[in-house]
Amino acid sequence: MRLSFPFMKTPFLSYIPFLKALTLLLVAFFASTSAFGRDDNIANVYARGSQTLNGKWRVIVDPYENGFYNHRLQPYDATEPAYAGYFLDRTVTDRTALQEYDFDTAQMLTVPGDWNSQDDKLFYYEGSVWYRRTFDFDATEAQSRQFLHFGAVNYEAHVYLNGRKLGKHVGGFTPFQFEVTDRLQDGQNSLVLMVNNERHKDAVPTLNTDWWNYGGITRDVLLLETPETFVSDFNVTLDSTGEFIEITTQLEGSQLSQEITVEIPELSLSKSVEANAEGYAELRLPTPPDLQRWSPQSPKLYEVVVSSESDRTEDRIGFRTIEVDGRNILLNGEPIFLRGISIHEENPFRGGRAFGVEDAQLLLGWAKELGCNFARLAHYPHSEHMVRVADEMGILLWEEIPVYWTISWENEETLANARSQLKTLVNRDRNRASVIIWSMANETPISEARTMFLKRLVDDTRELDPTRLISAAMEVHSEPGKGDHKIVNDPFGAYTDILSFNQYVGWYDGLPEKIDRVTWEIGDEKPVIISEFGAGALQGKRGDALTRFSEDFQADLYSRTVEMLERIPGISGTTPWVLVDFRSPRRPLAGVQDGWNRKGLIGDNGVRKQAFYVLQDYYEKKKEKANKAKSESEDAP
Ligand code: GCU
């Protein structure tokens, strides 16, 4: 039987305007129906009463989006029970029923943790994975409000609780939260996430990166509890002069006009103030004379208690000032040379994304052994544990968002994504004394659109946190035929406090002998940080100083480069590339790289290479010189 339809008689082309309009309508509807997590995260989550949801989760690998395409056809509605998506967490009992998935019998992965390093079948996997975790909740014991906290999920997450969608989050390295107070069930609950780590041109980062695209729930998952009205955020810091402690606090809930008390018991400091109708309060207290400044030599942290009539939270906070003065960086008013190292967030022993306190202690412990007082957490926000361990160990930090290489500068969504990641990072870490530099980008080709994109990020950062310094790994160039003369005049440098750039003279740019003859022309009178230099070396490979990928070549390049650093006007620090070998799909050289970027000073086996000791020796000398200068200035009449 042949069916005939009226529209079959009308030329198809005449329907295009209608189909276009329908498509736009559908896109607008779906775009508007996807909710996001909280705008501003609850601060200081590890001090909150919480139930950890870390551990073994059931997972279903879903390369064809089998579990999701149905969802896209279902409207999302945060208020009514919405069809959560194809992979609902339901167990089939009826033997006649057809269901081609079952979480209860699916494979398991550990959270936190990327999937690539947990299952060889997922080593290169880029796509969707559905995670399911059940957990018990005792409503009788509960405080007034509950929130789900995710330390990070790479890259896009759609979150469902008890079959209803809470919303989605985009961005692989920043925390996000959903309130679940009215969604939890007394007894067993089912938490399902669809995680997709596919790379996209308009994403942040974009398609191409020199690091492994680890997918999954890569950091802690917590169920937080709070009173009905609670301290959702607070900031406690020295002002730029160091003469005052500036405190801001924010309440969230229905009883906002409460008295706020801030205490620093060790300084016998306790002050109260009434929060305004919006729950906001601020204090500006003269710095107690006996306050000990935080510094790498003396990373003093104070217990700070912020309480209201209904809530109490406490944090360990260091007090220091950071500023620039001409070409100097001043920490607590004293010039400092930042003896740094760049670090990727990977634990080479376990493999995969680093995420916990022990990982942070391993990586920052190696930095300390190297003689560092500074670390560049490349190229994305590391875990909160990394920053808190740096606070404890006295390692200053450069933090950055993955605005890396060829970002889609003209795309408004891309800009919104970058701004959101930056805001979340600053709000998460602005009470951490170790953090001194916010970096906007890494090696981004110069264009008007790029510089304006980055300037927007600077404006946001200055508003969010005027107390820290701003930089980025900017561009360096030479005039044609004058490759030995390096010029740093990236237009973005006009907006930053520090001029930082990556330079690979001797590796990507000539051979190490070229290092001895390069000259530098630095545009502005600002401090300079060489945010990357280095060479690849397979740990244990020996040769001479011209044998690529030998330890000898790498050590020779380091020896020549540290000499050259002293010739750069305004050099105030460096973060050589990189502490440890790290995985990258861009490094295939068999027998040497095998999928690893070998520029580490430490091999993926944890063995130090010769260049480690070259840099360690240089830093030891820099430290002695600084201590000598300091003691001479103190002895000076
Ligand atoms: C670049 C980039 C790094 C990369 C390094 C390299 O400077 O910033 O992310 O890993 O060079 O080529 O090893």
Side-chain angles (χ1 to χ4, degrees), residues 532-591:
E532 288 182 34
F533 72 81
L538 176 64
Q539 191 279 322
K541 179 182 171 70
R542 306 311 302 269
D544 62 16
L546 288 176
T547 306
R548 289 270 187 182
F549 291 108
S550 71
E551 288 198 35
D552 312 77
F553 185 109
Q554 187 188 45
D556 178 57
L557 180 137
Y558 267 74
S559 296
R560 295 171 189 259
T561 303
V562 297
E563 292 290 322
M564 177 199 66
L565 292 181
E566 299 301 308
R567 301 200 304 270
I568 298 178
I571 186 72
S572 292
T574 184
T575 48
W577 192 257
V578 66
L579 179 65
V580 196
D581 289 356
F582 61 93
R583 285 197 182 281
S584 168
R586 303 176 74 246
R587 310 294 173 172
L589 180 58

Side-chain angles (χ1 to χ4, degrees), residues 275-413:
N276 68 16
E278 289 73 45
Y280 176 79
E282 57 184 49
L283 282 162
R284 182 175 160 87
L285 310 173
T287 303
D290 54 345
L291 178 133
Q292 286 179 52
R293 296 289 185 91
W294 185 96
S295 73
Q297 299 83 348
S298 167
K300 173 68 180 173
L301 299 174
Y302 287 90
E303 182 195 10
V304 176
V305 181
V306 180
S307 52
S308 71
E309 293 153 41
S310 59
D311 190 25
R312 181 185 193 277
T313 187
E314 59 186 80
D315 203 347
R316 287 165 51 77
I317 293 179
F319 296 93
R320 54 109 189 95
T321 59
I322 189 74
E323 59 197 305
V324 295
D325 175 22
R327 289 193 187 278
N328 287 318
I329 295 173
L330 306 183
L331 175 70
N332 297 321
E334 301 283 328
I336 184 168
F337 183 87
L338 299 174
R339 307 188 307 269
I341 190 70
S342 292
I343 301 177
H344 257 301
E345 191 173 46
E346 247 186 32
N347 177 327
F349 295 135
R350 187 184 63 242
R353 272 279 163 256
F355 51 76
V357 173
E358 299 73 23
D359 295 331
Q361 289 166 340
L362 173 73
L363 295 171
L364 293 174
W366 278 334
K368 270 281 191 197
E369 182 191 331
L370 190 55
C372 296
N373 61 5
F374 181 53
R376 176 186 180 201
L377 302 188
H379 282 296
Y380 36 75
H382 289 211
S383 79
E384 184 173 344
H385 296 302
M386 191 73 166
V387 184
R388 287 181 175 275
V389 169
D391 261 19
E392 302 280 348
M393 294 176 78
I395 293 182
L396 295 156
L397 295 179
W398 157 313
E399 288 205 277
E400 65 188 62
I401 56 172
V403 174
Y404 180 96
W405 289 356
T406 55
I407 292 285
S408 298
W409 306 114
E410 322 251 1
N411 183 309
E412 280 305 312
E413 264 194 47

Side-chain angles (χ1 to χ4, degrees), residues 209-211 344 376 378-379 404-405 442-443 473 502 504 507-508 532 577 582 586-587 597 599:
T209 65
D210 191 21
W211 69 78
H344 257 301
R376 176 186 180 201
H379 282 296
Y404 180 96
W405 289 356
N442 179 72
E443 290 189 353
N502 304 339
Y504 280 92
W507 181 257
Y508 293 123
E532 288 182 34
W577 192 257
F582 61 93
R586 303 176 74 246
R587 310 294 173 172
N597 182 309
K599 295 190 183 67

Side-chain angles (χ1 to χ4, degrees), residues 54-329:
N54 292 350
K56 290 289 185 190
W57 290 49
R58 294 281 182 180
V59 298
I60 296 172
V61 182
D62 187 13
Y64 284 22
E65 303 264 339
N66 189 32
F68 202 57
Y69 74 91
N70 276 5
H71 165 76
R72 287 191 200 285
L73 300 177
Q74 300 292 333
Y76 163 71
D77 177 345
T79 51
E80 293 307 316
Y83 183 72
Y86 194 67
F87 285 157
L88 273 171
D89 179 13
R90 62 185 170 210
T91 301
V92 175
T93 49
D94 171 355
R95 71 181 189 290
T96 66
L98 171 61
Q99 176 168 305
E100 296 181 88
Y101 73 94
D102 176 8
F103 277 116
D104 290 337
T105 55
Q107 74 174 95
M108 301 182 97
L109 289 179
T110 302
V111 168
D114 60 274
W115 60 62
N116 315 72
S117 60
Q118 294 190 58
D119 179 338
D120 290 347
K121 298 191 298 302
L122 301 175
F123 184 61
Y124 286 102
Y125 182 66
E126 293 183 308
S128 292
V129 173
W130 289 76
Y131 283 78
R132 193 282 317 265
R133 161 85 204 238
T134 59
F135 63 93
D136 290 331
F137 174 68
D138 181 349
T140 59
E141 298 288 312
Q143 286 195 48
S144 307
R145 299 174 72 175
Q146 289 77 30
F147 301 83
L148 280 175
H149 169 87
F150 298 89
V153 178
N154 190 43
Y155 172 80
E156 180 172 327
H158 295 254
V159 184
Y160 308 91
L161 181 62
N162 299 324
R164 294 174 60 183
K165 186 163 186 179
L166 300 177
K168 79 173 189 179
H169 179 266
V170 171
F173 302 96
T174 44
F176 57 99
Q177 298 167 353
F178 294 100
E179 179 155 14
V180 291
T181 306
D182 302 329
R183 300 287 181 91
L184 285 169
Q185 295 167 167
D186 192 22
Q188 189 174 67
N189 292 264
S190 161
L191 176 59
V192 170
L193 270 78
M194 193 288 274
V195 178
N196 182 287
N197 73 329
E198 286 171 298
R199 290 164 290 117
H200 304 284
K201 183 180 178 326
D202 297 336
V204 180
T206 181
L207 282 168
N208 192 11
T209 65
D210 191 21
W211 69 78
W212 207 266
N213 179 28
Y214 291 112
I217 305 176
T218 49
R219 291 182 194 153
D220 293 333
V221 181
L222 305 173
L223 180 63
L224 304 176
E225 294 215 82
T226 72
E228 190 282 330
T229 297
F230 63 96
V231 178
S232 59
D233 196 7
F234 58 94
N235 186 211
V236 183
T237 181
L238 278 181
D239 75 336
S240 57
T241 69
E243 291 166 20
F244 293 91
I245 294 178
E246 295 188 326
I247 299 165
T248 61
T249 66
Q250 182 62 54
L251 287 177
E252 179 176 320
S254 62
Q255 311 299 317
L256 294 178
S257 299
Q258 294 191 23
E259 182 179 75
I260 303 290
T261 301
V262 177
E263 300 162 84
I264 309 179
E266 193 176 338
L267 296 172
S268 308
L269 188 150
S270 175
K271 284 289 177 191
S272 298
V273 64
E274 197 66 27
N276 68 16
E278 289 73 45
Y280 176 79
E282 57 184 49
L283 282 162
R284 182 175 160 87
L285 310 173
T287 303
D290 54 345
L291 178 133
Q292 286 179 52
R293 296 289 185 91
W294 185 96
S295 73
Q297 299 83 348
S298 167
K300 173 68 180 173
L301 299 174
Y302 287 90
E303 182 195 10
V304 176
V305 181
V306 180
S307 52
S308 71
E309 293 153 41
S310 59
D311 190 25
R312 181 185 193 277
T313 187
E314 59 186 80
D315 203 347
R316 287 165 51 77
I317 293 179
F319 296 93
R320 54 109 189 95
T321 59
I322 189 74
E323 59 197 305
V324 295
D325 175 22
R327 289 193 187 278
N328 287 318
I329 295 173

